[in-house]
Amino acid sequence: MKCPIDGTPLVITERSGVEIDYCPQCRGVWLDRGELDKIIERSAAYSAPPSPPQQQRGYDDQGDHGYRKKKKRGGFLDELFDF
C-alpha cells in the first residue's frame, strides 16, 4: 500500500499487538478498523495511578522556590509510536 500523501510505500509494524502502517517519508500513521480502539484500551490499562504529592521545600540558592519540573514518564503511546 502507498502513502496517500506522498506515494511512498508504507511500512507495516506491530507494537503491543497493534498493527500500524506508517510512512517513513512523511511519518504519517494509518490504522485499520478497530486498531484505534485497541490503542485506547491499552493506553487506559497502561496508565498508572498518580504518585502521591511531594513535600514542598523552601526557597534555595537556585531560586526554584521549591518547585521542580516533573519528568514525564513515557506512556503506552510513547512506546507504540517509537519508530
Side-chain angles (χ1 to χ4, degrees):
M1 192 158 127
K2 293 190 177 196
C3 175
I5 301 208
D6 60 23
T8 303
L10 296 177
V11 176
I12 300 172
T13 187
E14 185 178 320
R15 298 288 176 119
S16 301
V18 178
E19 192 173 272
I20 299 169
D21 302 314
Y22 73 96
C23 176
Q25 186 68 33
C26 72
R27 299 194 48 88
V29 176
W30 287 268
L31 303 170
D32 295 331
R33 182 179 300 247
E35 290 175 341
L36 181 58
D37 293 330
K38 287 181 187 177
I39 291 171
I40 292 169
E41 287 171 9
R42 291 188 176 123
S43 178
Y46 189 81
S47 298
S51 60
Q54 296 179 353
Q55 188 176 16
Q56 186 176 6
R57 300 177 325 164
Y59 180 79
D60 64 13
D61 293 337
Q62 295 178 3
D64 67 2
H65 301 284
Y67 298 100
R68 299 262 183 195
K69 281 188 175 181
K70 291 184 179 179
K71 185 176 179 182
K72 284 191 173 184
R73 200 177 118 217
F76 175 78
L77 294 176
D78 290 340
E79 290 179 11
L80 191 65
F81 293 110
D82 183 22
F83 298 126

